Amino acid sequence: MAALEEEFTLSAVPLGAGPDGLLGVEQCDKTDQFLITDGGRTVILYKVSDQKPLGSWSVKQGQVITCPAVCNFQTGEYIVVHDSKVLRLWTNEDVNLDKVFKATLSAEVYRIHSIPGTEPLVLFKEGAVRGLEALLAEPQQKIETVISDEEVIKWTKFFMVFRHPALIFITEKHGNYFAYVQKFNSSVLSKYTLLLGQEENFVIQSFTASLDRKFISLLSLSSDGCIYETLIPIHPSDPEKNQQPRVVRSLLLKTVVSGNARNALSVLDQDHVAVLGPPLPASKECLSIWNTKFQTLQVSKELPQGTSGQLWYYGEHLFMLHGKILTVIPYKCEMSSLAGALGKLKHGQDSGTQTMPHFVNWETSQGYGLESKNSEPSKRILRRRTIEPSVQPEVPASQQLLSIIKKDSEKHIEIELRKFLATKRTPDFHTVIGDIAIGLLERCKTEPSFYPRNSLMQLIQMHVLSYSLCPGLMEVALEKTDIQMLQLCLQQFPDIPEAVTCACLKMFLSIGDDNLQEIDVNMESVSDYSDAVQDEKMEEQMGILQNGFNPEEDNCDNCDKELSKKPQKTVEETTSCPVIPKRAALLNAVLHSAYSESFLLPHLKDIPAQHITLFLQYLYFLYLKCNENATMTLPGIHPPTLNQIMDWICLLLDANFTVLVMIPEAKSLLLSLYKFVKSQICICSELNKIEVSFRELKKLNQEKNNRELYSIEVLELF
Amino acid sequence: MGEFKVHRVRFFNYVPSGIRCVAYNNQSNRLAVSRTDGTVEIYNLSANYFQEKFFPGHESRATEALCWAKGQRLFSAGLNGEIIEYDLQALDIKYSMDAFGGPIWSMAASPSGSQLLVGCEDGSVKLFQINPDKIQFERNFDRQKSRILSLSWHPSGTHIAAGSIDYISVFDIKSGSAVHKMLVDRQYMGVSKRKCIIWGVAFLSDGTVISVDSAGKVQFWDSATGTLVKTHLVANADVQSIAVSDQEDSFVVGTAEGTVFHFQLVSVTSNSSEKQWVRTKPFQHHTHDVRTVAHSPTALISGGTDTHLVIRPLMEKVEVKNYDAALRKITFPHRRLISCSKKRQLLLFQFSHHLDLWRLGSTVATGKHGDTLPLSKDADHLLQLKTKVSKMPACLRSAVQIMFSEDSTKLFVASNQGSLHILRLLEGSFKHLHTFQAQSGTVESMCLLAVSPDGNWLAASGTSAGVHVYSVKRLKLHCTVPAYNFPVTALAIAPKTNNLVIAHSDQQIFEYSIPDKQYTEWSRAIQKQGFHHHWLQRDTPITHIGFHPKRPAHILLHDAYMFCIIDKSLPLPNDKTLLYNPLPPTNESDVIRRRTAHAFKISKKYKPLLFMDLLDEGTLVAVERPLDDIIAQLPPPIKKKKFGT
């Protein structure tokens, strides 16, 4: 009995799905992982059981992904096409789609197909098909036109037929549908024409196909709401003759959905299909599972927020857009019994239980003699495969990797490491990772030219390393001035010694702006601080500050006056961030790191005075920013908190007090910092008073309610 | 649902007695609790911690020790020098026996459960044999100089440890003589205290004796050599209680500062066999002395002067992280202490030794939701009735529960032998009408009664068997509602329909039609759909059920933290709907309001709620007992210096 389980959504990340929904959902080489391509620029890799994205890649502004990303099951790479002609290949480790392998093709791609066990196929809009490897070997090769002028590919599917790949695609021209079957073992393209017969005025809305021994069972959902089955032979009886192959189209299910809506169809197994669409013209959209053998509705689930009329089915999961959110409904089908199958049919129509065969004229034409040149057993050796070492199964993978680390090239180590990390995690995973990191670092020490940056980054990103597991890592990074790695370490390691934190800080402050611009830094913690609008806001804020307390009562008249004298100047000083955003991101990483005051202070003394001033300026700037809103927080994803900022200001002042007092550059900064703090204190004392009054008020209120031993009250129950 | 005038009553001056002893029975998963006024309560930990049995106390019977023996037998001993065994079926004292050793301070049952030791004021330790019907004195051990405050058996039953003042003795059971005498240091942080009282001892199977004393120490002794092994100073005040788990891998102590410390036997280093007792977790759930602790396989149980019974599950022992893993704090009895005369607007409060009668006030004003109305007449305290023993007919001497019929012509009495008596009330006298005998083979007392408003039906329930319904007219058993796994917490019969509403301790509610002898459609419907998970997760039982005089579809129920009016005509809530919506629906259209409305109308405005009922169709009475008022009447706790005060 087929059953739909409780649905769940894949993160609430709003997919950039346009009115046409998603481009596609594709399987990945790892179970449970799926590539989702939205209608715009983004490809997201989801782990479905965890309901969370593992990675996300976007093409540049202005580029548009035109065909869903797929995974090459042989190499583990992902492939996507943007702007119809540009092919991109990348792996999990790549961050930026702009920098990955790129191939510009000579013709527009309709789709890339990839299924386990064979190399991916590229189907061009003109109907030609190429193997990926052949295409990559010669990207600019000429692509022939297979289908006629105004013919448009409507739908396509890729199968493995007895270990030989076969591709079916449906085209449409002036309301006529054609089916093409391309087989790659014999390089034969067969074409069938579908005449719609009486149902001519009905548009076919959705196709799906499955393999049924010697036939491809093509199911189509027409706009009259019925599902038709067409059996297309895999092996044309005699392809050489110009006879028309006979194909039969039969009505499979009657009126499962109301037409005129965006409906979708997917074959689940031999006997079950999933249909997406409103069962009645006025009703909400439903996902229904039909048993085609018994013609019964097995289960149905209402999707009140509407769908995009798209449905994907992989393994045990049905994917669809419910509202704007990608929803996954696990589907299970146990052994069906007749009684169970008959149980849920809602509209008991007598005639419905009998299939009504419709013999439809399928006008077949002799296959266009497509000179197929694609499926020569991949000439180009797969790029990843070449370097696969001879694996000795006895040695544990980690030992093997360690020995590779000792002698092989950086590139090779990187590849081997990636392979190792892809395997299942053992309980001692973190110690193994630590060993690998130490192995890498040891070689770094002995071989000055050896610096396996990518491998180290990869290890850090496993989220299991800590400073104590690989003690030399940050020192090496400091030595090599690897800012990006240092930032990553600061973000990931919970146990960095204060000396190292301080060394990082020193480096972040001293590195030149030009150098920084070239480095790729994680900018998560920095939001756009430097808005032009901020000027205005600041002024307003200052106004509020002055109204916040009563100068007569307070003893900070001086500062008040001073503040009111030249608020304009303070505004100018503080509204622009004193450091460039990249440096800000790095400094934020330092602010976030854990430290112990007494251990940090001595190291802070070593930082040159002008850097201290700069850092203090930056902290002052953050502090002002914090005070712009009531919650005292900075905008952004993971910004430094007010407490962190205050703590660091105190630390810097403590450590470098005499220096700061002495140097003239710091004078104005310290003065404005002092003024600002003082004005804050004034506000706080006022707030204190208000708080006391409110507390008393609250107490009075409570007492009134609670102290009476007896009262009669009015209560309304809702 | 409608608007009600609520008489909010806070003058019920009820103060629960402090907890003196707790004893956990592993076999039945029950907990016996004795209070300073001699009350003994039995909690069924499997039935949602329901207080299923209750033995009223007496000022002459202050219990100092409580223990289970021979499986399910419960003994207590106290300062009157008597050992008492309780009859758990009849809810009565089976017998009491003088130990002739002066006030008894401690008692312990042997690991086999066949012997009982008591420690007396005169320094004697007395051994009793537990026979099937009674206990029998066997012999005295060597008399000590001062009172025996604590006792513990070695798990093999060959030795005992006895805590006295300033020393611990180890006795050999066979010879009855003291093997070792271990002197406890009187010094407390350098200052010599007058005396060091050993409040508790525990004898472990490896021969270790753990003692807790008035100097704030937890000490480990080697009973073979009589030497001190280790000392933990855990408190600035007395450590008053100790309990060890059955596996002897953890124990718990309670201090006079209200803190409970958990000690665990942990490996010194990972994967080494050497183990060490380590103080792992402190819990501060009490404000006053923790007089007693118990250690169930999955929880730490503590009680003390602040009257709360606290059950703190050990998260590492809990397999399923469900609502049972939450901390429980039981303060109020799981039974009704208040009854109400609706017509005359009177409230009767039940205290342990007296009754208070109050008349409710009145108002002429009206108001809207949330208003407090001006009183035209305040509530009056009419009279106080003290207990007075006078000549009573035999059937009334040991009543567990009494109830009047609606028209006050009949009195129904549940006696402790499982029988029910009906008495006719006449001017100044009464006449015995009939006795419903207990079902054959059971002597279980009926502790809940309900009578139908027309006086024709009487429903009675014990703690385990089902609810019996008797016809008062024909004087015979009408039917028995099928027994359910969980004890009944409240019973009531609806007017007109004669539907019996039964609330169980697992928060299930059944409605049973007495005339039809079957569950009603509504009851079947709600059982089929299941209750809302939030409803099932409440941790106090329903203690009273009432009905709306005009609307037969309405049932009023309450527990200590909410009351609920069930409107049977509305759809039942499912797990997706919001069960409790504290805010009045604002700016929502009528349609939405109607669509989201469900049968359970809940208010949590009044808490802790001890009683609630409908006086008439628009008036409710709610009796609250704020915890602050109880705390104000307790002795002051030990003052602890807090930073900044």
Side-chain angles (χ1 to χ4, degrees):
Chain A
M1 192 63 196
L4 293 175
E5 291 180 21
E6 192 61 30
E7 64 178 57
F8 54 86
T9 58
L10 287 185
S11 107
V13 176
L15 291 159
D20 298 317
L22 297 174
L23 266 181
V25 176
E26 289 286 344
Q27 264 179 305
C28 239
D29 54 342
K30 291 181 200 80
T31 50
D32 203 29
Q33 293 187 9
F34 293 91
L35 278 172
I36 317 281
T37 312
D38 75 8
R41 304 192 294 126
T42 314
V43 179
I44 302 171
L45 176 66
Y46 273 108
K47 189 165 171 65
V48 167
S49 57
D50 290 357
Q51 299 181 36
K52 69 172 190 193
L54 297 178
S56 162
W57 299 273
S58 296
V59 294
K60 259 201 288 192
Q61 190 85 42
Q63 298 174 337
V64 180
I65 295 179
T66 49
C67 121
V70 296
C71 176
N72 185 342
F73 290 91
Q74 293 182 326
T75 61
E77 290 171 315
Y78 307 126
I79 310 152
V80 76
V81 176
H82 64 81
D83 303 309
S84 298
K85 284 184 176 177
V86 187
L87 210 62
R88 291 278 190 185
L89 271 78
W90 80 101
T91 62
N92 257 334
E93 286 72 39
D94 291 308
V95 181
N96 197 334
L97 269 192
D98 261 335
K99 296 183 179 164
V100 300
F101 179 82
K102 171 183 171 183
T104 309
L105 308 176
S106 60
E108 293 195 334
V109 176
Y110 179 72
R111 267 216 59 180
I112 301 176
H113 281 292
S114 177
I115 52 174
T118 180
E119 67 157 321
L121 280 185
V122 182
L123 173 66
F124 289 89
K125 283 203 175 139
E126 307 298 328
V129 182
R130 293 284 186 280
L132 182 71
E133 295 298 336
L135 201 60
L136 288 178
E138 198 190 339
Q140 284 296 325
Q141 63 183 273
K142 194 172 163 7
I143 306 297
E144 74 282 4
T145 302
V146 175
I147 56 177
S148 61
D149 236 349
E150 282 165 43
E151 246 182 293
V152 181
I153 301 181
K154 281 298 195 191
W155 176 86
T156 160
K157 179 150 180 161
F158 188 36
F159 295 102
M160 286 298 273
V161 183
F162 305 120
R163 280 192 272 141
H164 295 299
L167 181 79
I168 176 167
F169 58 92
I170 309 282
T171 60
E172 190 238 7
K173 183 183 182 182
H174 306 310
N176 297 321
Y177 290 89
F178 305 93
Y180 294 81
V181 178
Q182 168 92 58
K183 296 221 314 287
F184 296 98
N185 56 336
S186 53
S187 309
V188 177
L189 180 77
S190 329
K191 181 181 177 183
Y192 306 90
T193 309
L194 161 62
L195 282 187
L196 291 171
Q198 308 137 291
E199 295 89 21
E200 217 156 49
N201 42 355
F202 290 119
V203 190
I204 297 181
Q205 291 175 324
S206 180
F207 290 95
T208 183
S210 61
L211 273 183
D212 190 3
R213 278 181 298 261
K214 287 185 172 174
F215 291 96
I216 294 169
S217 155
L218 177 72
L219 300 185
S220 48
L221 179 65
S222 285
S223 57
D224 59 350
C226 302
I227 297 174
Y228 296 90
E229 185 182 30
T230 311
L231 293 177
I232 299 172
I234 293 165
H235 306 289
S237 45
D238 198 352
E240 300 309 312
K241 289 183 188 170
N242 285 354
Q243 277 178 353
Q244 296 177 346
R246 292 175 65 92
V247 283
V248 175
R249 183 185 175 190
S250 58
L251 179 68
L252 195 64
L253 283 172
K254 245 185 121 178
T255 332
V256 290
V257 288
S258 91
N260 313 324
R262 286 190 297 189
N263 304 324
L265 175 73
S266 182
V267 171
L268 302 174
D269 59 27
Q270 222 179 338
D271 297 331
H272 292 92
V273 290
V275 183
L276 192 67
L280 296 167
S283 64
K284 295 248 171 65
E285 291 195 72
C286 268
L287 172 69
S288 339
I289 308 288
W290 287 81
N291 186 322
T292 53
K293 205 178 194 173
F294 299 114
Q295 306 238 337
T296 50
L297 175 64
Q298 297 280 292
V299 64
S300 129
K301 188 178 191 96
E302 199 174 270
L303 301 163
Q305 290 167 43
T307 67
S308 60
Q310 288 169 297
L311 183 66
W312 294 270
Y313 173 67
Y314 293 108
E316 289 178 343
H317 299 297
L318 282 159
F319 295 80
M320 71 215 63
L321 267 187
H322 184 204
K324 283 272 168 217
I325 293 163
L326 184 63
T327 303
V328 181
I329 302 182
Y331 160 77
K332 279 242 169 72
C333 184
E334 278 127 33
M335 285 295 289
S336 56
S337 65
L338 183 61
L342 292 173
K344 274 214 165 174
L345 186 63
K346 273 182 184 153
H347 34 272
Q349 71 234 92
D350 301 350
S351 58
T353 45
Q354 282 182 318
T355 43
M356 284 154 53
H358 286 240
F359 290 90
V360 184
N361 287 327
W362 282 90
E363 203 180 54
T364 40
S365 67
Q366 66 267 50
Y368 284 63
L370 174 85
E371 73 279 10
S372 77
K373 53 180 276 186
N374 29 23
S375 65
E376 292 149 283
S378 42
K379 269 186 291 185
R380 206 181 74 109
I381 311 150
L382 298 176
R383 276 158 299 142
R384 302 288 183 217
R385 285 271 172 93
T386 47
I387 31 190
E388 199 163 278
S390 56
V391 179
Q392 295 150 316
E394 293 85 12
V395 189
S398 57
Q399 291 300 320
Q400 216 177 307
L401 189 58
L402 282 174
S403 64
I404 289 168
I405 284 168
K406 283 197 184 114
K407 47 189 190 291
D408 277 327
S409 71
E410 271 179 47
K411 192 78 192 155
H412 185 193
I413 291 171
E414 196 184 326
I415 291 153
E416 284 304 311
L417 181 65
R418 200 170 300 166
K419 262 192 236 158
F420 173 74
L421 295 180
T423 56
K424 228 177 97 190
R425 288 190 177 202
T426 48
D428 58 345
F429 186 68
H430 63 284
T431 52
V432 171
I433 294 288
D435 288 342
I436 293 169
I438 288 172
L440 286 169
L441 292 171
E442 265 169 15
R443 192 166 162 204
C444 286
K445 275 174 199 154
T446 48
E447 251 177 81
S449 61
F450 178 80
Y451 185 54
R453 188 165 178 278
N454 289 345
S455 307
L456 288 172
M457 294 285 264
Q458 221 175 337
L459 287 174
I460 297 168
Q461 275 161 339
M462 297 309 289
H463 300 282
V464 292
L465 274 188
S466 61
Y467 184 87
S468 35
L469 266 178
C470 50
L473 177 59
M474 286 188 79
E475 279 79 357
V476 170
L478 279 168
E479 213 173 282
K480 305 270 180 190
T481 344
D482 192 340
I483 300 289
Q484 199 187 351
M485 171 127 47
L486 287 175
Q487 192 198 15
L488 202 59
C489 291
L490 282 169
Q491 284 165 350
Q492 301 277 353
F493 293 178
D495 55 347
I496 301 170
E498 282 78 358
V500 178
T501 313
C502 212
C504 291
L505 177 63
K506 227 169 167 178
M507 178 171 287
F508 294 164
L509 286 168
S510 60
I511 192 165
D513 278 359
D514 316 340
N515 293 340
L516 260 183
Q517 288 300 4
E518 292 156 18
I519 300 165
D520 191 15
V521 171
N522 181 359
M523 302 291 286
E524 201 179 53
S525 63
V526 184
S527 66
D528 206 1
Y529 293 138
S530 47
D531 281 345
V533 204
Q534 295 293 340
D535 281 310
E536 240 174 71
K537 268 197 189 163
M538 254 338 261
E539 268 177 280
E540 273 173 31
Q541 186 64 36
M542 283 303 183
I544 294 161
L545 288 187
Q546 287 161 50
N547 295 333
F549 55 91
N550 187 349
E552 286 143 30
E553 274 183 82
D554 268 282
N555 50 359
C556 74
D557 300 22
N558 298 340
C559 75
D560 182 29
K561 273 175 207 156
E562 274 174 70
L563 266 178
S564 48
K565 247 188 255 169
K566 42 175 187 178
Q568 212 50 47
K569 200 191 164 203
T570 349
V571 169
E572 278 159 26
E573 264 174 28
T574 52
T575 42
S576 62
C577 184
V579 295
I580 61 165
K582 279 194 174 169
R583 198 192 300 282
L586 295 172
L587 292 176
N588 286 351
V590 174
L591 293 184
H592 278 305
S593 65
Y595 64 87
S596 167
E597 223 168 88
S598 45
F599 294 120
L600 190 60
L601 274 176
H603 300 291
L604 281 178
K605 289 197 169 87
D606 302 340
I607 300 177
Q610 71 267 29
H611 289 158
I612 289 287
T613 326
L614 179 67
F615 192 28
L616 206 54
Q617 253 167 7
Y618 175 60
L619 289 170
Y620 176 42
F621 163 75
L622 289 182
Y623 180 32
L624 284 177
K625 283 282 154 195
C626 273
N627 279 296
E628 275 174 15
N629 58 15
T631 52
M632 300 285 214
T633 49
L634 289 169
I637 298 167
H638 189 46
T641 62
L642 182 63
N643 277 342
Q644 283 169 337
I645 296 163
M646 298 303 284
D647 287 347
W648 272 93
I649 290 178
C650 295
L651 275 172
L652 283 183
L653 292 175
D654 278 352
N656 300 286
F657 189 74
T658 39
V659 179
L660 285 169
V661 169
M662 296 300 285
I663 56 167
E665 305 95 81
K667 202 179 165 191
S668 66
L669 171 68
L670 287 180
L671 210 62
S672 47
L673 191 55
Y674 166 64
K675 278 180 213 153
F676 188 65
V677 169
K678 195 154 188 184
S679 70
Q680 292 268 297
I681 289 172
C682 293
I683 297 171
C684 287
S685 68
E686 281 303 303
L687 285 175
N688 228 350
K689 283 181 210 160
I690 296 171
E691 195 264 344
V692 173
S693 336
F694 276 125
R695 196 168 49 199
E696 286 304 313
L697 265 173
K698 196 185 165 204
K699 216 188 270 174
L700 277 175
N701 250 343
Q702 264 180 351
E703 268 171 28
K704 206 176 142 201
N705 281 339
N706 290 331
R707 277 299 147 92
E708 282 169 292
L709 286 179
Y710 178 66
S711 59
I712 299 179
E713 293 175 6
V714 179
L715 173 78
E716 197 181 346
L717 277 181
F718 303 103
Chain B
M1 176 56 68
E3 215 172 62
F4 295 96
K5 271 186 195 169
V6 184
H7 292 265
R8 189 173 191 173
V9 174
R10 290 157 180 263
F11 48 68
F12 178 33
N13 193 15
Y14 169 77
V15 181
S17 300
I19 292 175
R20 181 61 193 92
C21 313
V22 295
Y24 174 72
N25 186 324
N26 205 356
Q27 254 175 309
S28 59
N29 199 22
R30 280 180 170 80
L31 185 75
V33 174
S34 78
R35 296 187 181 259
T36 47
D37 64 349
T39 311
V40 173
E41 295 156 358
I42 312 260
Y43 291 85
N44 186 349
L45 303 194
S46 314
N48 213 3
Y49 304 89
F50 179 59
Q51 180 190 322
E52 60 177 10
K53 282 165 193 167
F54 162 74
F55 301 91
H58 195 269
E59 58 258 89
S60 70
R61 281 203 317 259
T63 52
E64 278 294 320
L66 191 68
C67 71
W68 296 90
K70 262 259 149 96
Q72 311 286 323
R73 292 171 70 177
L74 182 66
F75 294 90
S76 79
L79 296 182
N80 61 357
E82 286 178 345
I83 303 170
I84 295 168
E85 182 174 359
Y86 296 90
D87 185 335
L88 298 177
Q89 286 291 311
L91 302 185
D92 199 5
I93 289 167
K94 213 168 174 181
Y95 56 85
S96 70
M97 182 185 250
D98 201 322
F100 299 107
I104 299 173
W105 290 97
S106 54
M107 179 168 62
S110 69
S112 64
S114 59
Q115 284 166 316
L116 201 63
L117 274 178
V118 292
C120 305
E121 173 75 17
D122 64 355
S124 62
V125 177
K126 293 166 193 282
L127 184 67
F128 287 82
Q129 196 70 35
I130 302 176
N131 295 332
D133 52 338
K134 241 186 164 179
I135 55 170
Q136 195 180 10
F137 175 72
E138 203 163 292
R139 63 197 166 91
N140 273 321
F141 287 7
D142 290 359
R143 178 170 300 192
Q144 303 297 308
K145 277 185 299 191
S146 49
R147 61 177 73 140
I148 306 294
L149 286 150
S150 48
L151 285 170
S152 176
W153 286 79
H154 187 267
S156 68
T158 54
H159 289 78
I160 59 156
S164 185
I165 295 170
D166 287 336
Y167 65 91
I168 304 158
S169 319
V170 178
F171 289 93
D172 183 64
I173 294 288
K174 260 187 195 153
S175 65
S177 55
V179 184
H180 280 294
K181 196 166 165 183
M182 302 178 287
L183 284 176
V184 180
D185 191 5
R186 283 186 180 187
Q187 294 253 321
Y188 166 68
M189 294 174 86
V191 185
S192 186
K193 267 197 161 182
R194 212 154 45 88
K195 270 171 185 172
C196 185
I197 302 161
I198 312 297
W199 284 118
V201 286
F203 213 144
L204 304 186
S205 46
D206 64 354
T208 305
V209 173
I210 309 169
S211 69
V212 296
D213 59 40
S214 59
K217 301 192 292 282
V218 175
Q219 293 186 308
F220 296 82
W221 307 83
D222 185 342
S223 69
T225 57
T227 49
L228 179 64
V229 179
K230 196 167 183 186
T231 300
H232 286 269
L233 188 66
V234 296
N236 289 327
D238 297 32
V239 184
Q240 292 184 313
S241 45
I242 179 170
V244 184
S245 72
D246 286 346
Q247 281 83 39
E248 297 189 357
D249 58 353
S250 86
F251 70 88
V252 55
V253 300
T255 75
E257 289 166 335
T259 320
V260 169
F261 291 101
H262 189 205
F263 283 75
Q264 281 173 292
L265 191 62
V266 293
S267 303
V268 179
T269 57
S270 62
N271 57 51
S272 90
S273 60
E274 193 192 342
K275 290 195 167 181
Q276 190 181 337
W277 284 103
V278 177
R279 187 172 84 185
T280 50
K281 290 172 232 127
F283 300 110
Q284 182 86 48
H285 299 303
H286 294 276
T287 52
H288 291 66
D289 300 30
V290 179
R291 298 297 301 272
T292 177
V293 288
H295 197 308
S296 85
T298 55
L300 306 182
I301 301 156
S302 56
T305 315
D306 63 358
T307 75
H308 303 298
L309 176 66
V310 175
I311 299 166
R312 174 71 170 76
L314 294 169
M315 294 320 272
E316 68 267 22
K317 299 278 172 64
V318 178
E319 274 161 20
V320 196
K321 299 265 186 290
N322 62 3
Y323 202 70
D324 277 343
L327 171 81
R328 295 285 179 125
K329 211 168 188 176
I330 301 167
T331 310
F332 295 104
H334 291 164
R335 57 181 201 283
R336 192 148 65 89
L337 299 175
I338 296 138
S339 46
C340 159
S341 161
K342 292 180 186 179
K343 276 186 203 138
R344 308 209 166 216
Q345 310 233 317
L346 299 174
L347 284 178
L348 183 69
F349 299 134
Q350 179 192 342
F351 293 87
S352 50
H353 301 298
H354 68 270
L355 299 172
D356 265 6
L357 187 66
W358 287 74
R359 177 184 287 129
L360 293 172
S362 59
T363 182
V364 286
T366 52
K368 59 178 202 306
H369 175 68
D371 286 355
T372 303
L373 303 176
L375 298 176
S376 58
K377 191 163 81 65
D378 205 353
D380 291 332
H381 186 192
L382 297 181
L383 82 154
Q384 188 173 60
L385 283 172
K386 292 241 163 82
T387 45
K388 187 168 119 193
V389 182
S390 63
K391 266 222 152 151
M392 293 287 271
C395 66
L396 290 180
R397 266 184 215 149
S398 54
V400 175
Q401 178 89 345
I402 59 171
M403 187 158 212
F404 290 101
S405 66
E406 195 95 323
D407 55 3
S408 303
T409 57
K410 291 195 184 86
L411 175 66
F412 303 95
V413 178
S415 86
N416 63 5
Q417 295 306 315
S419 50
L420 295 169
H421 307 286
I422 305 176
L423 305 169
R424 162 158 300 156
L425 301 173
L426 307 162
E427 281 291 327
S429 66
F430 51 80
K431 199 178 120 199
H432 186 260
L433 276 184
H434 183 74
T435 298
F436 294 116
Q437 285 305 330
Q439 301 300 298
S440 56
T442 61
V443 284
E444 190 188 52
S445 294
M446 297 293 159
C447 36
L448 283 170
L449 293 180
V451 64
S452 68
D454 58 12
N456 289 340
W457 307 103
L458 174 67
S461 147
T463 50
S464 57
V467 180
H468 304 292
V469 181
Y470 300 92
S471 166
V472 178
K473 254 192 201 156
R474 292 192 287 163
L475 296 177
K476 63 176 226 171
L477 180 71
H478 177 69
C479 60
T480 299
V481 182
Y484 185 67
N485 293 344
F486 289 88
V488 178
T489 67
L491 271 183
I493 300 174
K496 295 190 183 80
T497 56
N498 281 330
N499 286 338
L500 175 65
V501 181
I502 310 164
H504 290 277
S505 72
D506 62 342
Q507 313 297 2
Q508 298 288 340
I509 292 159
F510 294 95
E511 193 189 39
Y512 185 85
S513 168
I514 295 174
D516 300 343
K517 295 192 188 181
Q518 62 175 4
Y519 289 114
T520 61
E521 278 305 315
W522 181 81
S523 183
R524 282 169 209 274
I526 195 153
Q527 285 305 320
K528 200 171 167 194
Q529 186 181 330
F531 282 86
H532 194 279
H533 61 106
H534 285 152
W535 177 268
L536 296 176
Q537 282 171 356
R538 292 176 306 112
D539 61 358
T540 50
I542 299 282
T543 48
H544 179 65
I545 300 169
F547 299 97
H548 197 284
K550 292 280 159 64
R551 295 182 205 150
H554 288 192
I555 305 172
L556 177 139
L557 312 139
H558 80 83
D559 66 13
Y561 297 102
M562 63 105 218
F563 79 91
C564 171
I565 294 181
I566 298 179
D567 186 345
K568 289 190 281 180
S569 60
L570 288 177
L572 297 170
N574 59 20
D575 275 0
K576 281 181 194 131
T577 50
L578 193 65
L579 181 70
Y580 167 57
N581 183 10
L583 300 168
T586 48
N587 56 47
E588 271 177 10
S589 72
D590 234 26
V591 184
I592 294 174
R593 196 196 282 203
R594 217 171 297 142
R595 211 178 55 206
T596 53
H598 58 75
F600 288 70
K601 308 288 177 194
I602 291 175
S603 167
K604 297 189 181 178
K605 189 174 178 194
Y606 309 106
K607 54 191 173 183
L609 188 60
L610 295 192
F611 177 76
M612 178 147 225
D613 208 350
L614 274 156
L615 289 177
D616 55 54
E617 64 231 71
T619 316
L620 284 164
V621 58
V623 180
E624 276 178 299
R625 184 63 183 150
L627 278 177
D628 290 343
D629 296 1
I630 294 178
I631 292 164
Q633 299 201 21
L634 295 176
I638 289 178
K639 190 154 171 63
K640 275 190 280 185
K641 173 87 181 131
K642 269 189 193 157
F643 179 76
T645 56

